[in-house]
Amino acid sequence: MNKKYSWSQVVQPDGIGSGNFTSLAGSVERASTVTFSNVKSLRTRNWQDKSQYSYGLLGTPTTRRLERKLALIEGGQQCILLPSGLAAISLVLLALLKSGDRVLLPHNTYEPASEVARFMQANYGVELAFYDPLDILSILMTANTKLLWVETPGSVTMEVSDLPALANLAHKNNALVAIDATWAAGIALDVFALGADISIQALTKYQSGGSDVMMGSIVTRDDVINLMLLETHVRLGLGVSPEDCNIVLRSLPHYKLRYQAQDLAAREVATWLSKHPSVMQLLHPAFLGSPGHEVWQRDFTGAASLFSVVFQPYITQLQIDACLDEMKLFRIGYSWGGAVSLVVPFEMNQLHAHHSYKGHLVRFYVGLEDAVDLIEDINQSFKSLM
Ligand SMILES: *Cc1c(COP(=O)(O)O)cnc(C)c1O
């Protein structure tokens, strides 16, 4: 990782306090109306300049503090905040594609992202093609291909793709590269150094860390790309709550530690699962045999505590469902990144993964409980499978 910042900059307060009151806690600056000292300053205020303020929707000091820290973490220059990770995905697609343009998405992408692309194909004449994230040579670039979407590892099936090779291919054909890098969370993959133009994060996950905030971010390091995104952002009337930004700002200094600790715990749980006779395959990028493991080893500096397990084909969905119902610490639910461990069963036919597995799949999220307790919880729930 060759980012030119230290984590200390993420931890240190930025722009907090004024006059004879200074503290380490950020205040929540709320606004619809922003006042101007005179008419001239109202007329000359530039909404695109993030050192100025002109209307609540366009940001307050609280939202700007979060934007600066997120751009810093990812090694970018600009950041736009959105009310969810999905809104960040939609904004990138809407801002960069018009009728007649073509977008490439990997088969294994976050399913709601491919739904947005399908919507734009059906309603706005955007061409859409899916590619195999493990077979770059099979990708067909065309003159109208404007955007290559990357998500690595892919949602649920966890294939790791070769970002530098994908970026090289896109840039040779004058296409931009957007990456949904939520799994790496700005910590485990240096997306800009590896060739991405746009980085998307669901801050709903590790960055907020409490299973209580929905937010997304788009980080760039090019003024022209940023302006295209910013103009569409303003036209759609998108904004985020400064209260929510403050919650994320409070979690941000310790999310790297959580990420690293949860990575270790998840590898313990995954190791135990990989040895269980009911498990056919472990889909965790840090483990040998997981698709794209070699690329993970080359490009990543860590792993999220989110992975999947494919059960032996003779184990039925009913058996797996009963098993998940027996779990006490692992709760059943979507999303991840909070303190509590989670499981979700996925059916292969719900997924557009290129690599289909014969057995049923369960996605595990390891939270902050002790790994031994989590393993014991899985062990007791698996009794019915034996
Ligand atoms: C959760 C997630 C999203 C969507 O984020 P929300 O804030 O839930 O809308 C997008 N991409 C990936 C990879 C995710 O895990």
Side-chain angles (χ1 to χ4, degrees):
M1 191 74 78
N2 57 2
K3 285 180 198 162
K4 292 175 186 60
Y5 76 97
S6 87
W7 193 257
S8 312
Q9 290 170 268
V10 178
V11 173
Q12 286 287 312
D14 160 21
I16 294 172
S18 60
N20 64 356
F21 177 73
T22 57
S23 83
L24 299 176
S27 51
V28 181
E29 285 115 335
R30 304 181 57 88
S32 53
T33 298
V34 168
T35 56
F36 302 87
S37 53
N38 53 42
V39 176
K40 180 165 181 258
S41 84
L42 178 142
R43 292 221 170 96
T44 55
R45 191 92 23 124
N46 173 11
W47 71 269
Q48 294 170 4
D49 176 357
K50 291 215 169 173
S51 67
Q52 305 181 18
Y53 300 95
S54 39
Y55 190 56
L57 196 58
L58 303 171
T60 74
T62 311
T63 58
R64 301 278 165 81
R65 275 202 293 279
L66 179 57
E67 288 171 355
R68 283 196 296 273
K69 292 227 191 251
L70 294 170
L72 177 76
I73 289 169
E74 294 207 67
Q77 296 291 327
Q78 307 91 1
C79 174
I80 300 174
L81 297 172
L82 285 302
S84 68
L86 182 57
I89 292 168
S90 299
L91 180 71
V92 171
L93 294 171
L94 276 168
L96 300 183
L97 299 167
K98 59 184 188 317
S99 166
D101 289 347
R102 181 168 177 268
V103 58
L104 280 164
L105 264 76
H107 287 299
N108 58 358
T109 200
Y110 181 62
E111 185 50 26
S114 45
E115 288 302 327
V116 177
R118 284 198 188 89
F119 169 81
M120 290 179 64
Q121 181 186 40
N123 293 346
Y124 300 118
V126 168
E127 276 182 49
L128 165 64
F130 288 94
Y131 69 89
D132 179 349
L134 296 176
D135 185 8
I136 293 179
L137 293 178
S138 71
I139 298 175
L140 177 71
M141 294 299 292
T142 57
N144 65 337
T145 303
K146 294 291 157 64
L147 184 64
L148 177 72
W149 196 266
V150 180
E151 187 184 333
T152 182
S155 276
V156 188
T157 44
M158 301 288 158
E159 296 88 354
V160 181
S161 57
D162 190 337
L163 174 59
L166 286 165
N168 192 29
L169 177 70
H171 292 153
K172 271 200 309 207
N173 290 275
N174 298 316
L176 292 175
V177 177
I179 178 167
D180 179 342
T182 298
W183 190 85
I187 288 173
L189 186 70
D190 195 348
V191 297
F192 291 113
L194 297 178
D197 300 298
I198 298 159
S199 177
I200 292 144
Q201 289 287 331
L203 307 174
T204 308
K205 310 291 167 50
Y206 289 110
Q207 287 89 335
S208 57
S211 307
D212 55 358
V213 174
M214 305 288 308
M215 206 182 291
S217 63
I218 304 170
V219 171
T220 51
R221 51 177 194 181
D222 179 287
D223 286 331
V224 177
I225 299 171
N226 176 58
L227 190 57
M228 286 166 81
L229 296 166
L230 207 54
E231 285 184 334
T232 307
H233 185 250
V234 163
R235 286 183 186 129
L236 292 173
L238 294 167
V240 292
S241 154
E243 310 275 355
D244 286 349
C245 290
N246 197 46
I247 293 173
V248 180
L249 278 165
R250 200 175 187 281
S251 294
L252 222 49
H254 35 82
Y255 95 93
K256 188 166 97 169
L257 276 181
R258 282 187 276 114
Y259 190 94
Q260 290 167 342
Q262 288 175 253
D263 177 6
L264 292 180
R267 290 194 213 195
E268 279 183 55
V269 174
T271 300
W272 187 90
L273 279 163
S274 70
K275 293 176 181 154
H276 196 276
S278 300
V279 170
M280 186 173 72
Q281 191 171 357
L282 173 66
L283 303 175
H284 185 311
F287 284 72
L288 198 67
S290 194
H293 166 70
E294 292 71 24
V295 176
W296 175 84
Q297 217 164 21
R298 186 193 68 192
D299 292 347
F300 287 68
T301 55
S305 61
L306 184 82
F307 62 89
S308 295
V309 153
V310 183
F311 285 85
Q312 300 287 3
Y314 58 81
I315 296 177
T316 66
Q317 190 70 64
L318 274 177
Q319 282 178 292
I320 290 169
D321 292 358
C323 205
L324 302 188
D325 285 343
E326 279 305 310
M327 291 185 184
K328 305 284 185 286
L329 298 179
F330 281 93
R331 306 303 178 97
I332 300 162
Y334 292 110
S335 202
W336 40 279
V340 176
S341 293
L342 296 164
V343 279
V344 183
F346 283 91
E347 286 165 40
M348 280 322 299
N349 62 9
Q350 283 181 295
L351 306 169
H352 295 266
H354 187 73
H355 296 271
S356 190
Y357 297 100
K358 290 200 178 66
H360 296 286
L361 186 150
V362 173
R363 187 181 74 182
F364 286 81
Y365 167 70
V366 169
L368 286 161
E369 302 91 343
D370 287 330
V372 283
D373 295 341
L374 294 174
I375 290 168
E376 182 42 41
D377 192 33
I378 300 171
N379 190 31
Q380 63 82 21
S381 77
F382 274 22
K383 290 277 150 59
S384 59
L385 296 178
M386 307 298 282

